């Protein structure tokens, strides 16, 4: 079994910051890319940030300059530092990862349960 558990969401005022964390646990051989998605009310799910196993990153345009994605491979953990938050960042944020459970099998994508981020005054 593999689990992804997110934490760090909450209510923050516009202009504030939050740091989301997501830790993978279970039978894991290796983790390829790790990503953060979000789903805002009434909108499609959106890819926010991606980080590869060697640290290459990509952010959606609306997050550039405000969000930073990073990972600690020794802890199987990915982070999303969110600064200068706006009301339009309000959404449920999900982490996902491409995880190989054994060396002899390809990776599968696993998802966390989501954490609510609300930006409001």
């Amino acid at each position: 079994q593999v689990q992804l558990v997110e934490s760090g969401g909450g209510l923050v005022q516009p202009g504030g910051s939050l740091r989301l964390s997501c830790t993978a646990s279970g039978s894991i051989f290796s983790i390829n890319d790790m990503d953060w998605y979000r789903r805002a009310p009434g909108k499609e799910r959106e890819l926010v940030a991606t980080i590869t196993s060697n640290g290459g990153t990509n952010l959606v345009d609306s997050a550039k300059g405000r969000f930073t994605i990073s990972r600690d491979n020794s802890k199987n953990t990915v982070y999303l530092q969110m600064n200068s938050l706006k009301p339009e960042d309000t959404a449920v944020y999900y982490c996902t990862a491409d995880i190989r459970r054994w060396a002899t099998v390809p990776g599968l994508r696993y998802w966390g349960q989501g954490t609510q981020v609300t930006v409001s005054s």
Side-chain angles (χ1 to χ4, degrees):
Q1 287 281 23
V2 172
Q3 281 189 315
L4 296 179
V5 178
E6 299 115 332
S7 62
L11 173 64
V12 63
Q13 292 186 343
S17 299
L18 284 174
R19 187 193 195 206
L20 306 184
S21 301
C22 173
T23 299
S25 63
S27 176
I28 296 172
F29 173 74
S30 66
I31 302 177
N32 299 319
D33 65 275
M34 304 182 82
D35 316 295
W36 287 97
Y37 281 79
R38 66 186 178 189
R39 187 189 294 274
K43 294 188 176 181
E44 298 287 322
R45 186 177 64 191
E46 175 185 38
L47 175 61
V48 177
T50 295
I51 186 165
T52 64
S53 57
N54 61 5
T57 63
N58 194 35
L59 293 167
V60 67
D61 284 346
S62 61
K64 290 179 180 177
R66 301 187 299 125
F67 293 5
T68 303
I69 187 171
S70 60
R71 65 192 281 173
D72 184 337
N73 291 330
S74 69
K75 297 180 180 180
N76 290 339
T77 298
V78 61
Y79 305 97
L80 186 67
Q81 177 67 44
M82 304 186 293
N83 299 328
S84 302
L85 282 161
K86 304 175 181 179
E88 51 263 42
D89 295 316
T90 296
V92 179
Y93 284 71
Y94 300 89
C95 80
T96 178
D98 180 27
I99 297 175
R100 294 176 69 188
R101 297 189 62 191
W102 299 282
T104 56
V105 299
L108 292 176
R109 185 149 298 274
Y110 294 85
W111 291 80
Q113 81 286 355
T115 185
Q116 177 70 46
V117 171
T118 302
V119 185
S120 175
S121 54

